[in-house]
């Protein structure tokens, strides 16, 4: 038996003992209940946002590796962005649960739509940067990027119009 197998077996044993303790089960249950209360069920939109955020992180990290520009400052900024996204998702869910039929769901949908478009644009931009770094031209990707950025501008403009019309 090699050293790695012994380390793995020891780690598995420790994790199994931790899972058996009632305190850890209670803490894990409390954490899951809290997250469910704040965010709600994992909807298809939320699932898509999670996938796009992961793709954005992976493609952005790959591009930074290619350019040798990996930095803790950028990773920290990404973590702050994820925290803001989480707060926005909580805000949308809580508005949807408010009982106000149109307004609550509208806020949640607007937040989810904005996050989806933002992350889709970011993934497409990262892929375009990677392709350009290797002198690969992808016309479809450039057209997709143009379309997504146009959709993002439309959504931002409609939010601004709505805000301006709400002001007395």
């Amino acid at each position: 038996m090699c050293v790695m197998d012994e380390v793995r077996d020891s780690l598995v044993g420790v994790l199994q003992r931790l899972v058996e303790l009632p305190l850890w089960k209670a803490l894990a249950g409390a954490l899951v209940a809290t997250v469910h209360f704040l965010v709600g069920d994992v909807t298809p939109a939320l699932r898509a946002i999670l996938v796009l955020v992961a793709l954005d992180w992976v493609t952005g990290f790959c591009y930074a590796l290619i350019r040798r520009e990996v930095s803790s400052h950028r990773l920290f900024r990404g973590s702050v962005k994820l925290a803001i996204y989480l707060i926005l998702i909580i805000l949308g869910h809580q508005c949807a649960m408010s009982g106000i039929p149109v307004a609550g769901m509208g806020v949640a949908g607007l937040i989810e739509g904005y996050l989806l478009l933002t992350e889709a644009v970011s993934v497409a931009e990262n892929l375009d940067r990677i392709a350009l770094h290797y002198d690969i031209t992808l016309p479809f990707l450039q057209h997709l990027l143009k379309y997504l950025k146009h959709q993002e501008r439309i959504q931002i403009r409609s939010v601004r119009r709505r805000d301006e019309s709400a002001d007395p």
Side-chain angles (χ1 to χ4, degrees), residues 43 45-46 49 88-89 92-93 105 107-117 155:
T43 63
L46 186 56
I49 291 168
L88 286 171
I89 290 169
H93 176 68
M105 292 303 289
V107 170
L110 182 67
I111 289 171
E112 290 170 350
Y114 177 77
L115 294 178
L116 279 167
L117 281 174
Q155 188 164 6

Side-chain angles (χ1 to χ4, degrees), residues 24-119:
W24 287 108
K25 289 181 182 178
L27 289 174
L31 178 66
V32 168
T34 302
V35 169
H36 188 268
F37 171 76
L38 293 173
V39 178
D41 293 331
V42 178
T43 63
L46 186 56
R47 192 174 307 119
I49 291 168
L50 292 173
V51 167
L52 288 175
V53 164
L55 282 174
D56 182 30
W57 189 86
V58 168
T59 57
F61 191 73
C62 287
Y63 181 68
L65 280 175
I66 290 168
R67 302 222 4 163
R68 294 180 178 19
E69 295 177 349
V70 176
S71 74
S72 58
H73 176 70
R74 285 187 179 172
L75 290 172
F76 177 75
R77 285 186 60 215
S79 300
V80 170
K81 181 179 93 168
L82 292 178
I84 291 170
Y85 279 10
L86 176 63
I87 292 168
L88 286 171
I89 290 169
I90 291 169
L91 173 69
H93 176 68
Q94 294 304 314
C95 287
M97 300 307 295
S98 69
I100 303 171
V102 177
M105 292 303 289
V107 170
L110 182 67
I111 289 171
E112 290 170 350
Y114 177 77
L115 294 178
L116 279 167
L117 281 174
T118 300
E119 287 304 304

Side-chain angles (χ1 to χ4, degrees), residues 11 16 21-22 33 40 56 62 78 98-99 110 112 116 118 132 140 147-148 153 160 167:
L11 184 60
Q16 284 176 340
L21 294 174
D56 182 30
C62 287
S98 69
L110 182 67
E112 290 170 350
L116 279 167
T118 300
L132 290 175
F140 171 75
Y147 172 78
L148 289 172
R153 279 194 298 273
R160 285 185 185 150
D167 289 337

Side-chain angles (χ1 to χ4, degrees), residues 149-165:
K149 284 185 175 185
H150 177 70
Q151 293 301 314
E152 189 177 39
R153 279 194 298 273
I154 288 172
Q155 188 164 6
I156 289 170
R157 267 192 234 126
S158 66
V159 169
R160 285 185 185 150
R161 283 189 198 123
R162 197 173 311 135
D163 290 344
E164 289 169 1
S165 65

